[in-house]
Amino acid sequence: MAIELDKDWPGLTVKGDDAAWDPTEIKRITGELEEALKALRTPTQPPARSVAYAAGSTPPPLPGPPPGAGSLPDVRLQCAIGTAQLGEWITAASFAQTVETAYMTFIGDTEKSGGNYSSLLQQCDEVIDALVDIAKTNAGAEQANLEPGTRRDV
C-alpha cells in the first residue's frame, strides 16, 4: 500500500513522486496553532452576574461572556459546581453528581491530566512540537544535501 500525499496540504509541495516541505510555511502554521492554543489557555474576565439599576426602572440585561471566552480556566470556573451550591435534596444531589461526572470527563481534576479538554491542549502541544521538529529536520537535511561531497547528481 502506498501513501498518497494531499496536494493541498499547507507547507507540502507534491510533484509526481517527489514531495518537499516548505519550512517557512510549516513555521507559519505552527505560529497559528500556538496562537489558537494560547486562546484556549488564557482566562477571560468573568462576566458580571448582577447589575445595579434604579428602583422602578427596567433592569438592563446581564452582559454575555467576553469575546474569546471558553478557555480551559473559564470552563473550570463556570462548571465546577457541586452539592454545596445546589443543596442536599435528592434531585439536586443527583444533578450535582451528573454535573461532576461530566466535569471530570470533560475537564479533569488538574491542568496537567484528566479530561478531554486538557488532553486536547496536550495533544496540540505535541502537534506543535512535531511541526517544529519537521521544519528543523527538513532544514538540516536540505543543508546536508548542499554540502560538498554529499550531493549526488544522477
Side-chain angles (χ1 to χ4, degrees):
M1 172 196 285
I3 296 175
E4 291 186 29
L5 300 174
D6 184 347
K7 294 178 207 128
D8 297 326
W9 190 273
L12 179 67
T13 305
V14 179
K15 293 180 183 175
D17 290 338
D18 294 332
W21 293 97
D22 179 356
T24 305
E25 183 69 3
I26 298 294
K27 289 177 184 175
R28 184 193 65 77
I29 292 167
T30 303
E32 286 183 11
L33 287 173
E34 286 174 331
E35 284 301 310
L37 190 57
K38 182 178 171 186
L40 291 175
R41 287 199 164 114
T42 305
T44 57
Q45 182 66 34
R49 297 196 182 268
S50 61
V51 293
Y53 57 95
S57 66
T58 304
L62 289 175
S71 68
L72 182 57
D74 291 342
V75 176
R76 279 199 173 101
L77 175 69
Q78 298 300 323
C79 297
I81 64 172
T83 54
Q85 291 88 356
L86 296 174
E88 294 294 328
W89 49 289
I90 193 161
T91 304
S94 294
F95 178 70
Q97 185 177 12
T98 301
V99 169
E100 184 177 344
T101 301
Y103 179 85
M104 293 303 289
T105 301
F106 186 60
I107 303 301
D109 55 355
T110 66
E111 287 187 30
K112 298 290 183 194
S113 65
N116 296 333
Y117 206 144
S118 301
S119 296
L120 170 69
L121 298 182
Q122 181 179 359
Q123 290 171 7
C124 284
D125 275 334
E126 291 170 7
V127 166
I128 289 168
D129 291 344
L131 287 172
V132 169
D133 286 345
I134 286 170
K136 285 179 183 176
T137 301
N138 185 318
E142 289 294 323
Q143 183 61 36
N145 285 338
L146 296 175
E147 291 178 4
T150 59
R151 185 172 177 175
R152 184 174 144 193
D153 294 322
V154 180

